[in-house]
Amino acid sequence: MQIHCRSCGNHKGFVIPLWVRATFKINEDGPLSILHTKQLESIEEKLTDQGKTSYALTCQECSGDAEITFNEYEKLNTRSREKHALEGL
Amino acid sequence: MTFLCAECGNYTYFECDVQVHRSVKPTKEGLIVEDATFDDFNWSDSNIRDGLEDSVGYALKQSADVLQCNPDTGHYENTLITCARCGSKRVTPPYSKWSPKSYKSVCKEILENREEFKNLRKEKNYYANTLPVLWEP
């Protein structure tokens, strides 16, 4: 899997927004206490939707949209297959 | 008491949905998902705390805006805060500051506080009435 930013080419750090359900306690005197957090969204689903229905994953450096290549060898396989086919002809 | 659940009477434990930004780092072994940090600042932690405080503050201040009538039950439900004990969305501030019995118009309140304001005006310094001082080297 390869991820790179479409704007700046960064391939190291990205940011993804996720909804979480926080259980909290209201204290009579003082700030709120957080007791528990539960993730509501699947990171896998968001990543597979990236570029199709949404651009949730963004570059940590420039906030540009990230592009995910799940199988970077796919192109190589296609090229070699095409090459073999041409050779066969 | 900030919020009260109309179903179970809980006024301490509640739930709220907040959006958190997490860091995704691709490595040879796979993706590492962790808290988004910038130098020493933990952005993910800050997202949870700020989001929670924003939602609670908004639900308190604009309580009528966050309440939505559910036509099935006929009850008003809170769109932001949920009771953590019974899961009900019938969470509201337990009282309203406005009450028809204790309502007092602003004019009436100003008239009642007239003497206090007069005293305050006597104490006030009117710098605007003093002449400007010429600058001297």
Side-chain angles (χ1 to χ4, degrees):
Chain A
M1 182 194 268
Q2 275 183 346
I3 308 176
H4 72 272
C5 172
R6 291 166 77 185
S7 307
C8 70
N10 165 40
H11 57 91
K12 285 180 181 170
F14 299 90
V15 173
I16 192 163
L18 292 167
W19 281 96
V20 296
R21 181 158 295 160
T23 308
F24 62 97
K25 182 187 172 188
I26 293 175
N27 298 308
E28 290 295 323
D29 46 348
L32 306 168
S33 307
I34 299 165
L35 306 181
H36 181 253
T37 56
K38 181 182 151 192
Q39 197 169 303
L40 298 174
E41 287 181 301
S42 153
I43 294 178
E44 290 82 3
E45 275 180 23
K46 278 209 151 184
L47 291 179
T48 47
D49 282 347
Q50 177 78 5
K52 291 173 192 165
T53 55
S54 68
Y55 280 97
L57 191 71
T58 50
C59 175
Q60 198 165 347
E61 303 293 327
C62 71
S63 304
D65 293 334
E67 198 168 281
I68 305 175
T69 313
F70 287 100
N71 183 7
E72 59 264 37
Y73 304 108
E74 198 179 343
K75 274 186 183 173
L76 290 174
N77 290 341
T78 320
R79 272 185 203 160
S80 66
R81 245 185 276 135
E82 283 172 357
K83 197 178 168 187
H84 281 297
L86 281 171
E87 279 172 359
L89 284 169
Chain B
M1 197 186 290
T2 319
F3 290 115
L4 180 71
C5 172
E7 293 282 344
C8 68
N10 162 44
Y11 57 88
T12 314
Y13 302 102
F14 297 96
E15 285 178 346
C16 179
D17 294 350
V18 286
Q19 201 175 36
V20 181
H21 287 85
R22 304 213 75 200
S23 161
V24 175
K25 284 177 183 164
T27 60
K28 283 178 185 173
E29 289 78 26
L31 290 178
I32 296 175
V33 181
E34 55 190 9
D35 283 358
T37 52
F38 296 99
D39 296 330
D40 290 338
F41 177 68
N42 190 321
W43 196 31
S44 302
D45 276 4
S46 170
N47 280 169
I48 296 181
R49 287 190 197 284
D50 292 351
L52 205 56
E53 278 180 21
D54 282 354
S55 295
V56 169
Y58 184 72
L60 276 174
K61 201 173 180 187
Q62 304 286 346
S63 56
D65 286 358
V66 297
L67 291 177
Q68 208 170 43
C69 186
N70 184 342
D72 298 331
T73 57
H75 296 303
Y76 277 89
E77 294 181 345
N78 198 316
T79 51
L80 293 176
I81 316 282
T82 313
C83 175
R85 281 230 168 96
C86 67
S88 167
K89 287 184 114 14
R90 290 180 65 196
V91 176
T92 53
Y95 58 88
S96 171
K97 280 180 184 171
W98 187 85
S99 132
K101 285 180 185 172
S102 61
Y103 175 72
K104 194 193 285 178
S105 73
V106 176
C107 279
K108 201 176 172 188
E109 195 170 333
I110 287 173
L111 278 172
E112 279 177 17
N113 298 326
R114 206 170 156 186
E115 287 306 312
E116 196 175 338
F117 181 68
K118 272 184 184 173
N119 292 335
L120 172 73
R121 211 157 53 172
K122 280 175 198 163
E123 288 173 22
K124 197 172 179 182
N125 294 317
Y126 285 94
Y127 293 110
N129 293 342
T130 53
L131 288 170
V133 179
L134 291 174
W135 181 79
E136 285 175 17

